[in-house]
Amino acid sequence: RRACDTAMAAYGGEWVLETAHTLYLVRDTPMFDAAVAERTAQILLGVYPKLVYKDYLDWVLAGRTHYSDSLTDYGSSKLYAAVQELAQISGHAGLDQLEADLKPYTVTASGNFPFWNFDAMIHRRGGGGEGEHYFS
């Protein structure tokens, strides 16, 4: 069985979050690459709203051992800073919405989302008035 980085880095999160921060640091230099900023924004928007429910990183995927103390505030602690910095430099409208949703903990993507890198699927119906269902 392949090793899973979900608990430590949330589906490549360390790479994505550090790339966003680095892009923010070099935003006014010749090293800034708009194409990399756009691709990083696409990854953030395509993956992380599905892994984070309200402020929690999906517990079933992450397990109980590694970095379990950061699972309960993953959205507001780790993800928010990267989204905020990248939103300032990329101009991607979706990032502004994700940033607005992360602090009041309203990220509740609904659907069935496969994640092939760690052989898992998230199935969730959230945000509805009839009660929320959360499965992985």
Side-chain angles (χ1 to χ4, degrees):
R1 181 151 174 105
R2 291 179 286 178
C4 173
D5 78 335
T6 310
M8 293 180 278
Y11 209 69
E14 202 166 278
W15 174 84
V16 174
L17 302 180
E18 289 302 317
T19 299
H21 182 64
T22 302
L23 287 165
Y24 181 76
L25 292 176
V26 300
R27 66 190 177 276
D28 296 323
T29 71
M31 294 188 311
F32 179 77
D33 188 337
V36 174
E38 177 61 27
R39 181 65 182 134
T40 305
Q42 290 173 354
I43 292 169
L44 274 171
L45 292 170
V47 174
Y48 293 92
K50 297 162 182 77
L51 289 177
V52 174
Y53 183 77
K54 297 195 177 180
D55 200 24
Y56 293 76
L57 179 65
D58 191 319
W59 287 67
V60 174
L61 296 175
R64 298 180 298 182
T65 54
H66 303 292
Y67 295 106
S68 60
D69 58 334
S70 68
L71 297 179
T72 58
D73 64 350
Y74 187 85
S76 62
S77 66
K78 295 190 178 203
L79 190 55
Y80 183 78
V83 170
Q84 188 178 39
E85 289 176 341
L86 198 55
Q88 290 178 27
I89 59 173
S90 75
H92 202 293
L95 288 171
D96 293 332
Q97 184 60 50
L98 180 56
E99 181 184 354
D101 290 344
L102 280 170
K103 277 299 183 176
Y105 317 125
T106 57
V107 176
T108 57
S110 294
N112 192 30
F113 312 106
F115 292 94
W116 307 115
N117 286 356
F118 51 80
D119 298 325
M121 186 171 294
I122 294 174
H123 180 73
R124 177 184 309 135
R125 182 176 67 193
E130 69 280 350
E132 297 172 347
H133 302 276
Y134 181 44
F135 304 101
S136 291

